[in-house]
């Protein structure tokens, strides 16, 4: 699968940010249409979202370093393959980021997965870190940070701060999201230009309530089915 590296040049801020937007193929747009449709039930939504997540993960793996690895086939013939040449873990920004863990575990059965809980503080209204649990040795390798909706970028920046304080190199962080807003990308570009973002769609913009347009609605609620619980 080919992808496009877009130098997103944000308004009012410094360096361009390397953003990989998945190639907008008919196949990807078909997955998006199913997922974005407001009539999609939970199982339809997760079925198609998982496929987009798989594409994001494959793109992320394509950026990782691999080294030579030889095996012998049952015919006694050597096969020159590759294997990951670096430590790798994932960190989910709760709750929506946890949706990306299922496909990851289908690719890599033993990958450590950390959690970060960021929510808007009641008084300050700013993103606030409530909880984090990170894998040991996280600073030694690459980290895939799962934040499916990059809207204002506030939660992602808070989560990035946690990783950087833990000693992770910014240029070894891959921030994966299904949708991203130009404003969110611009904030990351300004504050963490070395972080690599991989997205399946750069959206048109944000509503006054920070929902993306054309958007998908509340991703966490749709993926985990909690909007149905509220509606009854
Ligand atoms: N979070 C969501 O779930 N959807 C958006 O559009 C923005 C943030």
């Amino acid at each position: 699968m080919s992808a496009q590296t877009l130098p997103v040049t944000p308004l009012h801020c410094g360096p361009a940010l390397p953003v990989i937007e998945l190639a907008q193929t008919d196949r990807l747009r078909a997955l998006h249409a199913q997922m974005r449709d407001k009539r999609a039930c939970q199982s339809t939504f997760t079925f198609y979202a998982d496929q987009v997540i798989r594409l994001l993960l494959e793109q992320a793996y394509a950026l990782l370093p691999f080294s030579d690895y030889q095996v012998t086939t049952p015919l006694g013939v050597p096969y020159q393959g590759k294997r990951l040449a670096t430590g790798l873990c994932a960190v989910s920004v709760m709750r929506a980021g946890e949706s990306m863990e299922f496909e990851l575990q289908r690719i890599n059965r033993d990958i450590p997965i950390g959690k970060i809980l960021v929510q808007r503080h009641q008084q300050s209204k700013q993103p606030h870190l409530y909880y984090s649990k990170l894998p040991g040795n996280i600073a030694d390798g690459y980290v895939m940070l799962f934040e499916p909706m990059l809207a204002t970028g506030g939660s992602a920046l808070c989560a990035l701060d946690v990783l950087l304080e833990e000693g992770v190199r910014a240029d070894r962080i891959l921030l994966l999201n299904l949708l991203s807003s130009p404003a969110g990308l611009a904030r990351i570009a300004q504050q963490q230009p070395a972080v690599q973002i991989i997205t399946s769609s750069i959206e048109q913009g944000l509503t006054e309530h920070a929902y993306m347009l054309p958007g998908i609605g509340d991703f966490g609620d749709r993926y985990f089915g909690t909007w149905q619980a509220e509606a009854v």
Side-chain angles (χ1 to χ4, degrees), residues 96 147-152 179 203 205-207 209-222:
E147 168 68 312
M149 298 287 112
L150 187 70
T152 65
L179 306 187
E203 297 287 281
L206 290 173
T207 69
H209 298 296
Y211 279 96
M212 281 180 274
L213 292 169
I216 204 165
D218 189 302
F219 183 89
D221 279 349
R222 295 190 74 191

Side-chain angles (χ1 to χ4, degrees), residues 31 35 44-57 99-100 102-103 106 178 219 223:
L31 296 175
M35 189 176 62
T44 298
F45 186 81
T46 56
F47 181 75
Y48 290 103
D50 284 347
Q51 293 184 56
V52 177
I53 289 166
R54 183 63 173 248
L55 296 176
L56 290 168
L57 289 167
S99 65
M100 303 178 83
F102 307 119
E103 282 302 310
R106 288 158 64 94
L178 285 93
F219 183 89
Y223 195 95

Side-chain angles (χ1 to χ4, degrees), residues 20-99:
I20 294 179
E21 184 185 35
L22 298 186
Q24 299 297 297
T25 59
D26 288 349
R27 164 90 179 123
L28 180 62
R29 293 187 72 84
L31 296 175
H32 268 262
Q34 295 291 336
M35 189 176 62
R36 290 177 191 250
D37 189 336
K38 67 178 184 182
R39 298 167 302 178
C41 63
Q42 184 190 2
S43 64
T44 298
F45 186 81
T46 56
F47 181 75
Y48 290 103
D50 284 347
Q51 293 184 56
V52 177
I53 289 166
R54 183 63 173 248
L55 296 176
L56 290 168
L57 289 167
E58 294 294 353
Q59 177 57 54
Y61 268 85
L63 300 177
L64 296 174
F66 283 79
S67 57
D68 293 340
Y69 181 61
Q70 180 177 306
V71 294
T72 305
T73 72
L75 288 93
V77 179
Y79 173 78
Q80 298 291 346
K82 297 277 181 186
R83 66 178 169 189
L84 209 53
T86 176
L88 176 66
C89 72
V91 175
S92 302
V93 180
M94 295 163 72
R95 158 184 74 141
E98 293 172 306
S99 65

